[in-house]
């Protein structure tokens, strides 16, 4: 019984928090106040949760104003584990196009680095970063021309 009571309080807390975030969305293009954006961002978070084998509550969704396509702001998904934040981004409107954010191999700025289709994709990226594995994991096509590249980066496009 006490466990059920605790879950109810979490529901109220989470619902009120979601309402506050939606009220605070005043940017253009709309994100949280656009029901389609919110639904799609949630679908991306659920897909990420499935891949990582975690529950949705462990993922924080935030609009990424750096990356906007045709009025669509890409959702950034953050998972914090033991003090380390792991960041992902959902390209376009596709929950099946999740990408790991990481430092560009040329300019070092934070960009969509590798596709994430399976937990092993993240594992290989982390092993590569730790110097435990070569070759490099395959780079995401979204890496090229990402707006976060330094203007002198070979991946930068005007
Ligand atoms: Zn770069």
């Amino acid at each position: 019984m006490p466990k059920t009571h605790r879950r109810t309080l979490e529901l109220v807390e989470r619902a009120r928090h979601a309402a506050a975030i939606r009220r605070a969305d005043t940017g253009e293009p709309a994100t949280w106040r656009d029901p389609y954006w919110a639904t799609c961002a949630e679908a991306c978070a659920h897909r990420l949760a499935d891949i990582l084998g975690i529950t949705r509550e462990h993922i924080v969704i935030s609009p990424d104003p750096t990356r906007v396509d045709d009025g669509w702001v890409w959702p950034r998904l953050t998972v914090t584990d033991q003090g380390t934040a792991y960041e992902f981004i959902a390209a376009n409107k596709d929950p099946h196009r999740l990408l790991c954010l990481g430092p560009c191999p040329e300019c070092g700025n934070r960009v969509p680095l590798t596709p994430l289709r399976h937990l092993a994709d993240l594992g290989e990226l982390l092993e590569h970063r730790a110097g435990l594995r070569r070759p490099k994991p395959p780079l995401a096509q979204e890496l090229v021309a990402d707006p976060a590249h330094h203007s002198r980066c070979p991946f930068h496009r005007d």
Side-chain angles (χ1 to χ4, degrees):
M1 192 67 170
K3 196 170 187 175
T4 303
H5 180 65
R6 190 176 66 79
R7 284 193 180 166
T8 302
L9 288 176
E10 285 176 5
L11 172 63
V12 170
E13 219 170 88
R14 288 187 301 110
R16 292 193 67 200
H17 181 69
I21 288 173
R22 185 168 65 189
R23 278 192 302 273
D25 173 33
T26 57
E28 285 300 330
T31 54
W32 288 112
R33 68 182 191 278
D34 173 356
Y36 179 66
W37 189 93
T39 300
C40 194
E42 285 293 342
C44 295
H46 282 280
R47 172 86 177 127
L48 179 63
D50 286 347
I51 290 172
L52 300 182
I54 61 175
T55 56
R56 163 62 187 91
E57 302 88 68
H58 292 98
I59 299 170
V60 175
I61 303 172
S62 54
D64 186 335
T66 308
R67 298 170 180 95
V68 181
D69 278 336
D70 292 329
W72 177 261
V73 180
W74 292 14
R76 182 184 291 230
L77 309 167
T78 305
V79 177
T80 303
D81 186 23
Q82 298 181 354
T84 300
Y86 299 90
E87 290 185 309
F88 307 90
I89 194 136
N92 303 314
K93 299 170 183 145
D94 188 356
H96 295 279
R97 193 68 193 156
L98 299 177
L99 309 163
C100 300
L101 282 176
C104 169
E106 295 293 330
C107 72
N109 286 354
R110 207 150 181 78
V111 295
L113 196 58
T114 57
L116 180 77
R117 294 172 291 252
H118 188 272
L119 183 60
D121 295 332
L122 177 61
E124 288 182 354
L125 177 62
L126 295 174
E127 287 174 354
H128 179 73
R129 278 191 198 157
L132 301 173
R133 182 179 182 274
R134 292 176 188 262
K136 284 186 225 177
L139 296 175
Q141 66 188 36
E142 289 82 356
L143 169 85
V144 177
D146 187 76
H149 289 291
H150 189 277
S151 60
R152 292 191 193 134
C153 178
F155 292 117
H156 174 79
R157 301 289 184 275
D158 288 321

